[in-house]
Short mmCIF file of all heavy atoms in Angstrom, two decimals:
data_model
loop_
_atom_site.label_atom_id
_atom_site.label_comp_id
_atom_site.label_asym_id
_atom_site.label_seq_id
_atom_site.Cartn_x
_atom_site.Cartn_y
_atom_site.Cartn_z
N MET A 6 0.86 -1.18 0.01
CA MET A 6 -0.01 0.00 0.01
C MET A 6 0.92 1.27 -0.01
O MET A 6 1.86 1.32 0.77
CB MET A 6 -0.88 -0.01 1.27
CG MET A 6 -2.06 0.90 1.14
SD MET A 6 -3.13 0.97 2.63
CE MET A 6 -4.06 -0.52 2.55
N SER A 7 0.60 2.21 -0.85
CA SER A 7 1.40 3.40 -0.95
C SER A 7 1.13 4.33 0.23
O SER A 7 0.12 4.20 0.94
CB SER A 7 1.14 4.12 -2.28
OG SER A 7 -0.14 4.72 -2.24
N ASN A 8 2.00 5.30 0.41
CA ASN A 8 1.78 6.27 1.45
C ASN A 8 0.45 7.01 1.29
O ASN A 8 -0.26 7.31 2.22
CB ASN A 8 2.94 7.30 1.51
CG ASN A 8 4.18 6.72 2.14
OD1 ASN A 8 4.13 5.74 2.86
ND2 ASN A 8 5.31 7.32 1.84
N ARG A 9 0.12 7.31 0.01
CA ARG A 9 -1.10 8.00 -0.26
C ARG A 9 -2.31 7.16 0.17
O ARG A 9 -3.23 7.67 0.77
CB ARG A 9 -1.17 8.33 -1.76
CG ARG A 9 -2.43 9.07 -2.15
CD ARG A 9 -2.46 9.38 -3.61
NE ARG A 9 -3.68 10.07 -3.92
CZ ARG A 9 -4.04 10.47 -5.11
NH1 ARG A 9 -3.21 10.28 -6.11
NH2 ARG A 9 -5.13 11.09 -5.31
N GLU A 10 -2.30 5.91 -0.18
CA GLU A 10 -3.40 5.01 0.19
C GLU A 10 -3.52 4.86 1.72
O GLU A 10 -4.63 4.80 2.20
CB GLU A 10 -3.22 3.63 -0.49
CG GLU A 10 -3.36 3.68 -1.99
CD GLU A 10 -2.90 2.41 -2.66
OE1 GLU A 10 -2.04 1.70 -2.12
OE2 GLU A 10 -3.42 2.13 -3.75
N VAL A 11 -2.36 4.81 2.36
CA VAL A 11 -2.38 4.69 3.80
C VAL A 11 -3.01 5.97 4.40
O VAL A 11 -3.85 5.92 5.31
CB VAL A 11 -0.95 4.49 4.37
CG1 VAL A 11 -0.91 4.66 5.89
CG2 VAL A 11 -0.41 3.15 3.99
N GLY A 12 -2.63 7.12 3.88
CA GLY A 12 -3.17 8.39 4.35
C GLY A 12 -4.66 8.48 4.11
O GLY A 12 -5.41 8.96 4.99
N GLN A 13 -5.11 8.02 2.95
CA GLN A 13 -6.53 8.05 2.62
C GLN A 13 -7.31 7.13 3.56
O GLN A 13 -8.38 7.48 4.01
CB GLN A 13 -6.75 7.65 1.17
CG GLN A 13 -6.33 8.73 0.17
CD GLN A 13 -6.38 8.27 -1.25
OE1 GLN A 13 -6.38 7.07 -1.54
NE2 GLN A 13 -6.43 9.21 -2.16
N ALA A 14 -6.77 5.97 3.85
CA ALA A 14 -7.45 5.03 4.72
C ALA A 14 -7.55 5.61 6.15
O ALA A 14 -8.57 5.49 6.82
CB ALA A 14 -6.68 3.69 4.77
N ARG A 15 -6.47 6.24 6.61
CA ARG A 15 -6.50 6.88 7.94
C ARG A 15 -7.55 8.01 7.99
O ARG A 15 -8.26 8.18 8.95
CB ARG A 15 -5.15 7.42 8.32
CG ARG A 15 -4.14 6.40 8.66
CD ARG A 15 -2.85 7.01 9.11
NE ARG A 15 -1.84 6.00 9.40
CZ ARG A 15 -0.56 6.24 9.38
NH1 ARG A 15 -0.08 7.43 9.12
NH2 ARG A 15 0.28 5.25 9.63
N SER A 16 -7.57 8.78 6.88
CA SER A 16 -8.56 9.87 6.80
C SER A 16 -9.97 9.38 6.89
O SER A 16 -10.83 9.92 7.57
CB SER A 16 -8.29 10.68 5.56
OG SER A 16 -9.20 11.74 5.44
N ARG A 17 -10.27 8.32 6.12
CA ARG A 17 -11.61 7.71 6.12
C ARG A 17 -11.99 7.20 7.52
O ARG A 17 -13.08 7.39 7.99
CB ARG A 17 -11.72 6.61 5.11
CG ARG A 17 -11.91 7.09 3.69
CD ARG A 17 -12.26 5.95 2.73
NE ARG A 17 -11.26 4.92 2.71
CZ ARG A 17 -10.16 4.89 1.90
NH1 ARG A 17 -9.99 5.87 1.06
NH2 ARG A 17 -9.30 3.92 1.94
N ALA A 18 -11.01 6.59 8.16
CA ALA A 18 -11.24 6.01 9.50
C ALA A 18 -11.53 7.14 10.50
O ALA A 18 -12.44 7.05 11.31
CB ALA A 18 -10.07 5.19 9.96
N ARG A 19 -10.75 8.22 10.41
CA ARG A 19 -10.97 9.39 11.34
C ARG A 19 -12.32 10.03 11.05
O ARG A 19 -13.02 10.43 11.97
CB ARG A 19 -9.83 10.35 11.17
CG ARG A 19 -9.96 11.60 12.08
CD ARG A 19 -9.92 11.20 13.52
NE ARG A 19 -10.13 12.39 14.33
CZ ARG A 19 -10.98 12.47 15.32
NH1 ARG A 19 -11.69 11.41 15.71
NH2 ARG A 19 -11.17 13.58 15.96
N GLN A 20 -12.69 10.18 9.79
CA GLN A 20 -14.00 10.77 9.47
C GLN A 20 -15.13 9.93 10.01
O GLN A 20 -16.09 10.42 10.53
CB GLN A 20 -14.12 10.95 7.94
CG GLN A 20 -15.47 11.54 7.51
CD GLN A 20 -15.72 12.90 8.09
OE1 GLN A 20 -14.81 13.66 8.35
NE2 GLN A 20 -16.98 13.18 8.32
N ALA A 21 -15.00 8.61 9.85
CA ALA A 21 -16.04 7.70 10.38
C ALA A 21 -16.12 7.83 11.93
O ALA A 21 -17.23 7.82 12.46
CB ALA A 21 -15.73 6.26 9.97
N GLN A 22 -14.97 7.97 12.57
CA GLN A 22 -14.98 8.13 14.02
C GLN A 22 -15.64 9.44 14.45
O GLN A 22 -16.46 9.48 15.37
CB GLN A 22 -13.55 8.09 14.54
CG GLN A 22 -13.43 8.26 16.05
CD GLN A 22 -12.00 8.29 16.52
OE1 GLN A 22 -11.06 8.27 15.74
NE2 GLN A 22 -11.81 8.37 17.81
N ARG A 23 -15.33 10.55 13.70
CA ARG A 23 -15.98 11.82 14.02
C ARG A 23 -17.52 11.76 13.79
O ARG A 23 -18.30 12.29 14.58
CB ARG A 23 -15.39 12.95 13.16
CG ARG A 23 -14.06 13.45 13.66
CD ARG A 23 -13.67 14.75 13.00
NE ARG A 23 -13.64 14.71 11.56
CZ ARG A 23 -12.53 14.48 10.84
NH1 ARG A 23 -11.40 14.35 11.43
NH2 ARG A 23 -12.61 14.48 9.51
N ALA A 24 -17.93 11.09 12.73
CA ALA A 24 -19.36 10.95 12.45
C ALA A 24 -20.03 10.14 13.56
O ALA A 24 -21.17 10.50 13.97
CB ALA A 24 -19.58 10.28 11.10
N GLU A 25 -19.38 9.12 14.07
CA GLU A 25 -19.95 8.29 15.11
C GLU A 25 -20.07 9.13 16.40
O GLU A 25 -21.12 9.10 17.07
CB GLU A 25 -19.08 7.09 15.36
CG GLU A 25 -19.55 6.19 16.49
CD GLU A 25 -18.68 4.98 16.69
OE1 GLU A 25 -17.90 4.61 15.78
OE2 GLU A 25 -18.75 4.39 17.80
N GLU A 26 -19.03 9.89 16.72
CA GLU A 26 -19.09 10.71 17.91
C GLU A 26 -20.21 11.75 17.82
O GLU A 26 -20.91 12.01 18.77
CB GLU A 26 -17.72 11.39 18.13
CG GLU A 26 -16.64 10.42 18.51
CD GLU A 26 -15.24 11.04 18.42
OE1 GLU A 26 -15.10 12.24 18.02
OE2 GLU A 26 -14.27 10.34 18.76
N ARG A 27 -20.32 12.35 16.65
CA ARG A 27 -21.34 13.40 16.44
C ARG A 27 -22.74 12.78 16.57
O ARG A 27 -23.62 13.37 17.19
CB ARG A 27 -21.18 14.02 15.06
CG ARG A 27 -22.23 15.02 14.67
CD ARG A 27 -21.66 16.37 14.75
NE ARG A 27 -22.58 17.30 14.11
CZ ARG A 27 -23.09 18.38 14.71
NH1 ARG A 27 -22.73 18.62 15.94
NH2 ARG A 27 -23.92 19.19 14.07
N ALA A 28 -22.94 11.60 16.00
CA ALA A 28 -24.28 10.94 16.09
C ALA A 28 -24.61 10.66 17.56
O ALA A 28 -25.73 10.88 18.00
CB ALA A 28 -24.26 9.68 15.26
N LEU A 29 -23.64 10.19 18.30
CA LEU A 29 -23.90 9.86 19.71
C LEU A 29 -24.12 11.13 20.52
O LEU A 29 -24.92 11.13 21.46
CB LEU A 29 -22.72 9.06 20.28
CG LEU A 29 -22.55 7.65 19.69
CD1 LEU A 29 -21.31 6.99 20.24
CD2 LEU A 29 -23.78 6.82 19.96
N ASP A 30 -23.47 12.24 20.18
CA ASP A 30 -23.72 13.51 20.84
C ASP A 30 -25.12 14.02 20.53
O ASP A 30 -25.73 14.66 21.39
CB ASP A 30 -22.70 14.58 20.40
CG ASP A 30 -21.31 14.34 20.95
OD1 ASP A 30 -21.17 13.58 21.93
OD2 ASP A 30 -20.35 14.98 20.45
N LEU A 31 -25.59 13.79 19.34
CA LEU A 31 -26.91 14.29 18.95
C LEU A 31 -28.08 13.42 19.43
O LEU A 31 -29.22 13.86 19.44
CB LEU A 31 -26.99 14.45 17.43
CG LEU A 31 -26.14 15.57 16.83
CD1 LEU A 31 -26.15 15.47 15.32
CD2 LEU A 31 -26.71 16.91 17.29
N ALA A 32 -27.79 12.17 19.80
CA ALA A 32 -28.86 11.25 20.21
C ALA A 32 -29.77 11.79 21.27
O ALA A 32 -31.00 11.77 21.14
CB ALA A 32 -28.22 9.90 20.62
N PRO A 33 -29.25 12.36 22.37
CA PRO A 33 -30.18 12.88 23.41
C PRO A 33 -30.97 14.08 22.93
O PRO A 33 -32.14 14.26 23.32
CB PRO A 33 -29.24 13.30 24.58
CG PRO A 33 -27.86 13.00 24.16
CD PRO A 33 -27.88 12.42 22.80
N VAL A 34 -30.37 14.89 22.05
CA VAL A 34 -31.09 16.06 21.53
C VAL A 34 -32.24 15.61 20.65
O VAL A 34 -33.39 16.16 20.72
CB VAL A 34 -30.14 17.00 20.77
CG1 VAL A 34 -30.90 18.21 20.18
CG2 VAL A 34 -29.03 17.45 21.65
N ILE A 35 -32.00 14.63 19.81
CA ILE A 35 -33.05 14.09 18.95
C ILE A 35 -34.10 13.39 19.76
O ILE A 35 -35.31 13.54 19.47
CB ILE A 35 -32.41 13.15 17.90
CG1 ILE A 35 -31.54 13.96 16.91
CG2 ILE A 35 -33.48 12.38 17.15
CD1 ILE A 35 -30.75 13.15 15.95
N ALA A 36 -33.71 12.71 20.82
CA ALA A 36 -34.69 12.06 21.69
C ALA A 36 -35.59 13.07 22.34
O ALA A 36 -36.80 12.89 22.43
CB ALA A 36 -33.99 11.21 22.73
N ARG A 37 -35.01 14.20 22.77
CA ARG A 37 -35.80 15.27 23.37
C ARG A 37 -36.76 15.87 22.35
O ARG A 37 -37.93 16.16 22.68
CB ARG A 37 -34.84 16.36 23.89
CG ARG A 37 -35.21 16.81 25.27
CD ARG A 37 -34.18 17.78 25.87
NE ARG A 37 -32.90 17.13 26.08
CZ ARG A 37 -31.72 17.60 25.57
NH1 ARG A 37 -31.69 18.73 24.90
NH2 ARG A 37 -30.60 16.95 25.75
N ALA A 38 -36.29 16.06 21.15
CA ALA A 38 -37.16 16.63 20.10
C ALA A 38 -38.31 15.69 19.82
O ALA A 38 -39.45 16.13 19.65
CB ALA A 38 -36.36 16.88 18.83
N ARG A 39 -38.06 14.40 19.80
CA ARG A 39 -39.13 13.43 19.61
C ARG A 39 -40.11 13.45 20.77
O ARG A 39 -41.34 13.36 20.58
CB ARG A 39 -38.55 12.00 19.42
CG ARG A 39 -37.95 11.80 18.06
CD ARG A 39 -37.40 10.40 17.96
NE ARG A 39 -37.18 10.01 16.55
CZ ARG A 39 -36.53 8.95 16.19
NH1 ARG A 39 -36.03 8.13 17.08
NH2 ARG A 39 -36.38 8.65 14.91
N ALA A 40 -39.58 13.57 21.98
CA ALA A 40 -40.46 13.62 23.17
C ALA A 40 -41.34 14.86 23.13
O ALA A 40 -42.44 14.87 23.66
CB ALA A 40 -39.60 13.60 24.43
N GLU A 41 -40.85 15.93 22.50
CA GLU A 41 -41.61 17.16 22.38
C GLU A 41 -42.59 17.16 21.20
O GLU A 41 -43.26 18.14 20.94
CB GLU A 41 -40.65 18.34 22.28
CG GLU A 41 -39.84 18.58 23.53
CD GLU A 41 -38.74 19.58 23.39
OE1 GLU A 41 -38.52 20.05 22.26
OE2 GLU A 41 -38.03 19.84 24.36
N GLY A 42 -42.63 16.06 20.46
CA GLY A 42 -43.61 15.89 19.44
C GLY A 42 -43.11 15.87 17.99
O GLY A 42 -43.90 15.73 17.05
N ALA A 43 -41.81 15.95 17.81
CA ALA A 43 -41.24 15.88 16.45
C ALA A 43 -41.34 14.42 16.00
O ALA A 43 -40.80 13.50 16.61
CB ALA A 43 -39.80 16.36 16.44
N VAL A 44 -42.07 14.18 14.90
CA VAL A 44 -42.27 12.86 14.39
C VAL A 44 -41.49 12.63 13.10
O VAL A 44 -40.78 11.61 12.97
CB VAL A 44 -43.78 12.58 14.15
CG1 VAL A 44 -44.00 11.19 13.64
CG2 VAL A 44 -44.57 12.82 15.42
N SER A 45 -41.61 13.54 12.18
CA SER A 45 -40.97 13.36 10.87
C SER A 45 -39.50 13.82 10.90
O SER A 45 -39.08 14.54 11.82
CB SER A 45 -41.70 14.16 9.82
OG SER A 45 -41.48 15.55 9.99
N LEU A 46 -38.78 13.40 9.91
CA LEU A 46 -37.37 13.83 9.80
C LEU A 46 -37.28 15.36 9.64
O LEU A 46 -36.39 15.97 10.20
CB LEU A 46 -36.73 13.13 8.59
CG LEU A 46 -36.59 11.62 8.68
CD1 LEU A 46 -36.05 11.07 7.36
CD2 LEU A 46 -35.68 11.19 9.83
N ARG A 47 -38.21 15.95 8.91
CA ARG A 47 -38.20 17.40 8.74
C ARG A 47 -38.49 18.10 10.07
O ARG A 47 -37.90 19.16 10.32
CB ARG A 47 -39.23 17.80 7.70
CG ARG A 47 -38.82 17.44 6.30
CD ARG A 47 -39.82 17.91 5.30
NE ARG A 47 -39.51 17.32 4.02
CZ ARG A 47 -39.81 17.89 2.85
NH1 ARG A 47 -40.39 19.06 2.83
NH2 ARG A 47 -39.49 17.27 1.72
N GLN A 48 -39.33 17.53 10.86
CA GLN A 48 -39.62 18.15 12.16
C GLN A 48 -38.40 18.06 13.09
O GLN A 48 -38.10 19.00 13.83
CB GLN A 48 -40.81 17.46 12.82
CG GLN A 48 -42.13 17.79 12.13
CD GLN A 48 -43.27 16.98 12.68
OE1 GLN A 48 -43.10 15.87 13.15
NE2 GLN A 48 -44.50 17.51 12.61
N ILE A 49 -37.70 16.94 13.00
CA ILE A 49 -36.49 16.82 13.82
C ILE A 49 -35.43 17.82 13.30
O ILE A 49 -34.74 18.45 14.11
CB ILE A 49 -35.96 15.38 13.76
CG1 ILE A 49 -36.96 14.42 14.43
CG2 ILE A 49 -34.61 15.28 14.46
CD1 ILE A 49 -36.64 12.95 14.25
N ALA A 50 -35.32 17.93 12.01
CA ALA A 50 -34.37 18.91 11.41
C ALA A 50 -34.71 20.33 11.88
O ALA A 50 -33.82 21.09 12.28
CB ALA A 50 -34.41 18.83 9.90
N ALA A 51 -35.97 20.66 11.88
CA ALA A 51 -36.39 21.98 12.34
C ALA A 51 -36.09 22.19 13.81
O ALA A 51 -35.66 23.28 14.23
CB ALA A 51 -37.91 22.20 12.08
N ALA A 52 -36.25 21.15 14.61
CA ALA A 52 -35.95 21.22 16.02
C ALA A 52 -34.44 21.42 16.25
O ALA A 52 -34.04 22.24 17.13
CB ALA A 52 -36.38 19.93 16.75
N LEU A 53 -33.60 20.79 15.48
CA LEU A 53 -32.18 20.99 15.59
C LEU A 53 -31.78 22.41 15.20
O LEU A 53 -30.97 23.06 15.83
CB LEU A 53 -31.41 19.96 14.74
CG LEU A 53 -31.52 18.51 15.23
CD1 LEU A 53 -30.96 17.57 14.18
CD2 LEU A 53 -30.77 18.33 16.53
N ASP A 54 -32.42 22.89 14.12
CA ASP A 54 -32.18 24.30 13.70
C ASP A 54 -32.62 25.26 14.76
O ASP A 54 -31.94 26.26 15.05
CB ASP A 54 -32.88 24.57 12.37
CG ASP A 54 -32.19 23.95 11.19
OD1 ASP A 54 -30.97 23.75 11.24
OD2 ASP A 54 -32.86 23.68 10.17
N ALA A 55 -33.79 25.00 15.39
CA ALA A 55 -34.32 25.90 16.40
C ALA A 55 -33.43 25.96 17.63
O ALA A 55 -33.34 26.96 18.30
CB ALA A 55 -35.70 25.44 16.81
N ARG A 56 -32.70 24.87 17.88
CA ARG A 56 -31.76 24.83 18.99
C ARG A 56 -30.39 25.35 18.60
O ARG A 56 -29.44 25.30 19.40
CB ARG A 56 -31.62 23.38 19.51
CG ARG A 56 -32.85 22.87 20.25
CD ARG A 56 -32.69 21.40 20.61
NE ARG A 56 -33.74 20.93 21.50
CZ ARG A 56 -34.91 20.55 21.11
NH1 ARG A 56 -35.30 20.62 19.85
NH2 ARG A 56 -35.81 20.10 22.01
N ALA A 57 -30.26 25.83 17.39
CA ALA A 57 -28.99 26.40 16.88
C ALA A 57 -27.85 25.38 16.89
O ALA A 57 -26.71 25.71 17.12
CB ALA A 57 -28.61 27.69 17.61
N ILE A 58 -28.22 24.14 16.57
CA ILE A 58 -27.21 23.11 16.46
C ILE A 58 -26.91 22.94 14.97
O ILE A 58 -27.76 22.50 14.22
CB ILE A 58 -27.72 21.76 17.05
CG1 ILE A 58 -28.02 21.93 18.54
CG2 ILE A 58 -26.68 20.65 16.80
CD1 ILE A 58 -28.72 20.75 19.16
N PRO A 59 -25.70 23.32 14.55
CA PRO A 59 -25.42 23.26 13.11
C PRO A 59 -25.14 21.86 12.65
O PRO A 59 -24.58 21.03 13.41
CB PRO A 59 -24.17 24.11 12.98
CG PRO A 59 -23.47 24.00 14.29
CD PRO A 59 -24.60 23.86 15.34
N PRO A 60 -25.46 21.55 11.42
CA PRO A 60 -25.06 20.25 10.85
C PRO A 60 -23.54 20.26 10.65
O PRO A 60 -22.88 21.28 10.72
CB PRO A 60 -25.81 20.16 9.54
CG PRO A 60 -26.26 21.54 9.21
CD PRO A 60 -26.29 22.31 10.50
N ALA A 61 -23.00 19.08 10.38
CA ALA A 61 -21.56 18.93 10.30
C ALA A 61 -20.90 19.89 9.28
O ALA A 61 -19.80 20.38 9.52
CB ALA A 61 -21.20 17.49 9.97
N ARG A 62 -21.57 20.11 8.20
CA ARG A 62 -20.99 21.00 7.15
C ARG A 62 -21.59 22.35 7.07
O ARG A 62 -21.50 23.02 6.07
CB ARG A 62 -21.08 20.26 5.79
CG ARG A 62 -20.28 18.99 5.77
CD ARG A 62 -20.22 18.42 4.41
NE ARG A 62 -19.42 17.20 4.44
CZ ARG A 62 -18.91 16.63 3.36
NH1 ARG A 62 -19.17 17.14 2.20
NH2 ARG A 62 -18.19 15.57 3.48
N GLY A 63 -22.27 22.78 8.13
CA GLY A 63 -22.85 24.09 8.17
C GLY A 63 -24.21 24.17 7.49
O GLY A 63 -24.71 23.17 7.03
N GLY A 64 -24.78 25.36 7.50
CA GLY A 64 -26.09 25.55 6.87
C GLY A 64 -27.21 25.14 7.82
O GLY A 64 -27.11 25.28 9.04
N THR A 65 -28.30 24.66 7.24
CA THR A 65 -29.44 24.23 8.03
C THR A 65 -29.61 22.70 7.83
O THR A 65 -29.11 22.13 6.85
CB THR A 65 -30.73 24.94 7.63
OG1 THR A 65 -30.97 24.69 6.23
CG2 THR A 65 -30.66 26.42 7.85
N TRP A 66 -30.28 22.10 8.80
CA TRP A 66 -30.50 20.65 8.71
C TRP A 66 -31.51 20.29 7.63
O TRP A 66 -32.47 21.01 7.39
CB TRP A 66 -31.05 20.16 10.05
CG TRP A 66 -29.97 20.06 11.11
CD1 TRP A 66 -29.61 21.02 12.00
CD2 TRP A 66 -29.13 18.93 11.34
NE1 TRP A 66 -28.61 20.55 12.82
CE2 TRP A 66 -28.27 19.30 12.44
CE3 TRP A 66 -29.02 17.68 10.79
CZ2 TRP A 66 -27.32 18.40 12.91
CZ3 TRP A 66 -28.05 16.81 11.30
CH2 TRP A 66 -27.20 17.17 12.36
N SER A 67 -31.25 19.16 7.01
CA SER A 67 -32.18 18.61 6.03
C SER A 67 -32.67 17.24 6.56
O SER A 67 -32.04 16.65 7.46
CB SER A 67 -31.50 18.40 4.67
OG SER A 67 -30.56 17.36 4.73
N ALA A 68 -33.76 16.77 6.00
CA ALA A 68 -34.29 15.44 6.40
C ALA A 68 -33.23 14.36 6.12
O ALA A 68 -33.09 13.42 6.93
CB ALA A 68 -35.58 15.17 5.66
N ALA A 69 -32.50 14.48 5.01
CA ALA A 69 -31.53 13.45 4.67
C ALA A 69 -30.38 13.43 5.70
O ALA A 69 -29.92 12.34 6.05
CB ALA A 69 -30.97 13.72 3.28
N GLN A 70 -29.96 14.57 6.16
CA GLN A 70 -28.90 14.60 7.20
C GLN A 70 -29.41 13.96 8.50
O GLN A 70 -28.64 13.21 9.11
CB GLN A 70 -28.49 16.04 7.44
CG GLN A 70 -27.71 16.67 6.31
CD GLN A 70 -27.57 18.15 6.50
OE1 GLN A 70 -28.51 18.86 6.79
NE2 GLN A 70 -26.37 18.65 6.27
N VAL A 71 -30.65 14.26 8.86
CA VAL A 71 -31.17 13.66 10.09
C VAL A 71 -31.27 12.15 9.91
O VAL A 71 -30.94 11.40 10.80
CB VAL A 71 -32.56 14.25 10.40
CG1 VAL A 71 -33.24 13.47 11.56
CG2 VAL A 71 -32.45 15.72 10.72
N GLN A 72 -31.68 11.71 8.75
CA GLN A 72 -31.78 10.26 8.47
C GLN A 72 -30.42 9.57 8.61
O GLN A 72 -30.33 8.50 9.23
CB GLN A 72 -32.34 10.02 7.08
CG GLN A 72 -32.61 8.58 6.78
CD GLN A 72 -33.29 8.41 5.42
OE1 GLN A 72 -33.14 9.24 4.52
NE2 GLN A 72 -34.04 7.32 5.31
N ARG A 73 -29.41 10.21 8.12
CA ARG A 73 -28.04 9.63 8.23
C ARG A 73 -27.59 9.58 9.68
O ARG A 73 -26.99 8.60 10.13
CB ARG A 73 -27.03 10.40 7.40
CG ARG A 73 -27.18 10.14 5.89
CD ARG A 73 -26.01 10.70 5.11
NE ARG A 73 -26.00 12.15 5.10
CZ ARG A 73 -26.59 12.94 4.18
NH1 ARG A 73 -27.27 12.37 3.22
NH2 ARG A 73 -26.53 14.23 4.24
N VAL A 74 -27.90 10.63 10.46
CA VAL A 74 -27.52 10.63 11.87
C VAL A 74 -28.28 9.52 12.59
O VAL A 74 -27.70 8.77 13.39
CB VAL A 74 -27.78 12.01 12.52
CG1 VAL A 74 -27.65 11.91 14.02
CG2 VAL A 74 -26.85 13.06 11.98
N LEU A 75 -29.57 9.39 12.31
CA LEU A 75 -30.36 8.34 12.96
C LEU A 75 -29.86 6.96 12.59
O LEU A 75 -29.82 6.07 13.45
CB LEU A 75 -31.84 8.49 12.58
CG LEU A 75 -32.56 9.71 13.17
CD1 LEU A 75 -33.99 9.81 12.62
CD2 LEU A 75 -32.57 9.66 14.70
N ALA A 76 -29.46 6.79 11.33
CA ALA A 76 -28.92 5.47 10.94
C ALA A 76 -27.62 5.21 11.74
O ALA A 76 -27.41 4.05 12.14
CB ALA A 76 -28.62 5.47 9.43
N GLY A 77 -26.83 6.20 11.93
CA GLY A 77 -25.58 6.03 12.70
C GLY A 77 -25.87 5.71 14.12
O GLY A 77 -25.18 4.85 14.73
N ILE A 78 -26.90 6.30 14.70
CA ILE A 78 -27.24 6.02 16.08
C ILE A 78 -27.77 4.57 16.20
O ILE A 78 -27.41 3.85 17.15
CB ILE A 78 -28.33 6.99 16.58
CG1 ILE A 78 -27.72 8.39 16.70
CG2 ILE A 78 -28.90 6.55 17.91
CD1 ILE A 78 -28.76 9.50 16.91
N GLU A 79 -28.61 4.15 15.26
CA GLU A 79 -29.17 2.80 15.30
C GLU A 79 -28.11 1.71 15.14
O GLU A 79 -28.16 0.67 15.76
CB GLU A 79 -30.27 2.66 14.24
CG GLU A 79 -31.48 3.47 14.56
CD GLU A 79 -32.49 3.48 13.42
OE1 GLU A 79 -32.30 2.77 12.41
OE2 GLU A 79 -33.45 4.27 13.55
N ILE A 80 -27.15 2.00 14.28
CA ILE A 80 -26.07 1.01 14.06
C ILE A 80 -25.22 0.86 15.32
O ILE A 80 -24.86 -0.22 15.70
CB ILE A 80 -25.17 1.43 12.86
CG1 ILE A 80 -25.98 1.27 11.56
CG2 ILE A 80 -23.89 0.66 12.81
CD1 ILE A 80 -25.29 1.87 10.32
N ARG A 81 -24.92 1.97 15.96
CA ARG A 81 -24.06 1.97 17.14
C ARG A 81 -24.76 1.81 18.40
O ARG A 81 -24.18 1.41 19.39
CB ARG A 81 -23.22 3.28 17.11
CG ARG A 81 -22.23 3.34 15.99
CD ARG A 81 -21.88 4.77 15.69
NE ARG A 81 -21.12 4.86 14.42
CZ ARG A 81 -21.62 5.03 13.26
NH1 ARG A 81 -22.88 5.03 13.08
NH2 ARG A 81 -20.85 5.11 12.22
N GLY A 82 -26.03 2.20 18.46
CA GLY A 82 -26.79 2.19 19.68
C GLY A 82 -27.46 0.87 19.86
O GLY A 82 -27.63 0.21 20.74
#
């Protein structure tokens, strides 16, 4: 394996670790939003935006981003 490939593999592993940590950090916030009545992915996204919690890449939350976070929580949780 070349140095470049090794670096890319390390980068992917670190990104996956950060995504896992972020999903676990968001789990209680999402649970609270659901307890407050957020049912759909869009409602959860709106709740995250209302709490001023930015998505990983900035901007506002989308349903697809919430779905990916939830998938990460379910896989790890």
Side-chain angles (χ1 to χ4, degrees):
M6 197 183 284
S7 72
N8 284 340
R9 181 179 180 181
E10 292 169 332
V11 169
Q13 288 172 339
R15 285 183 185 159
S16 179
R17 281 190 301 273
R19 179 63 184 131
Q20 178 60 30
Q22 180 183 3
R23 281 194 304 263
E25 179 178 342
E26 291 167 358
R27 176 106 168 124
L29 293 176
D30 287 345
L31 289 171
V34 178
I35 292 173
R37 226 173 296 125
R39 284 180 162 169
E41 293 170 358
V44 180
S45 71
L46 296 174
R47 287 182 192 210
Q48 289 172 331
I49 295 170
L53 292 168
D54 284 334
R56 288 175 171 81
I58 299 172
R62 295 187 179 198
T65 59
W66 283 92
S67 70
Q70 290 168 314
V71 172
Q72 186 175 26
R73 285 192 292 270
V74 170
L75 291 175
I78 292 169
E79 291 172 7
I80 290 171
R81 291 156 190 89

